């Protein structure tokens, strides 16, 4: 079984910062792309940022210049540094990965997510 556990969310005022962490555990052979997603109440889950195994990053227009995604391939961990947070960033944040586990290439299951609330 492969599990991705998100952490680091919380309540922060507008303009503040948070750093989210996602750690993958289990019998993982390798990880290709990793990404962060978010889902606000009543809305579909949306892609926030992705990073390839080579370090190439992509961001949603709404977070460019404010969020930074990074990874440590030796620890199967991906982070999301969030600066200049806005109320519109309020959502449950999830990570996901394309990986090889148990001899099969697949997309990871969704974890529990971590709640980010931006409010004064």
């Amino acid at each position: 079984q492969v599990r991705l556990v998100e952490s680091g969310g919380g309540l922060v005022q507008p303009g503040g910062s948070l750093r989210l962490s996602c750690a993958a555990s289990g019998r993982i052979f390798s990880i290709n792309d990793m990404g962060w997603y978010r889902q606000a109440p009543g809305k579909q889950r949306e892609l926030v940022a992705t990073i390839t195994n080579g370090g190439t990053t992509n961001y949603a227009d709404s977070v460019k210049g404010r969020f930074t995604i990074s990874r440590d391939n030796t620890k199967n961990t991906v982070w999301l540094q969030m600066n200049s947070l806005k109320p519109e960033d309020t959502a449950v944040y999830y990570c996901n990965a394309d990986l090889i586990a148990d001899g099969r290439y697949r997309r990871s299951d969704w974890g529990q997510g971590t709640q980010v609330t931006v409010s004064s």
Side-chain angles (χ1 to χ4, degrees):
Q1 181 181 356
V2 176
R3 169 173 285 191
L4 274 63
V5 180
E6 302 93 342
S7 62
L11 175 64
V12 64
Q13 293 184 333
S17 298
L18 285 173
R19 192 183 193 215
L20 308 183
S21 177
C22 173
S25 62
R27 296 183 62 83
I28 302 172
F29 180 75
S30 64
I31 300 178
N32 193 5
D33 295 351
M34 304 186 77
W36 283 97
Y37 301 75
R38 66 186 181 187
Q39 186 169 26
K43 300 183 65 177
Q44 291 186 308
R45 200 192 320 261
E46 64 176 347
L47 181 64
V48 176
T50 61
I51 183 168
T52 70
N53 60 351
T56 300
T57 59
N58 283 283
Y59 299 91
D61 289 341
S62 60
V63 306
K64 286 182 179 177
R66 301 188 298 119
F67 291 11
T68 302
I69 187 172
S70 60
R71 66 189 289 173
D72 185 338
N73 293 333
T74 66
K75 299 180 179 180
N76 292 334
T77 300
V78 61
W79 296 271
L80 185 68
Q81 178 67 47
M82 304 185 296
N83 299 325
S84 301
L85 283 163
K86 305 175 180 179
E88 306 93 271
D89 297 318
T90 296
V92 178
Y93 284 71
Y94 302 87
C95 65
N96 205 272
D98 295 321
L99 52 83
I100 298 176
D102 297 324
R104 182 176 177 84
Y105 180 76
R106 65 185 182 90
R107 173 63 63 89
S108 66
D109 296 331
W110 297 109
Q112 294 294 104
T114 184
Q115 176 72 51
V116 172
T117 303
V118 184
S119 176
S120 59

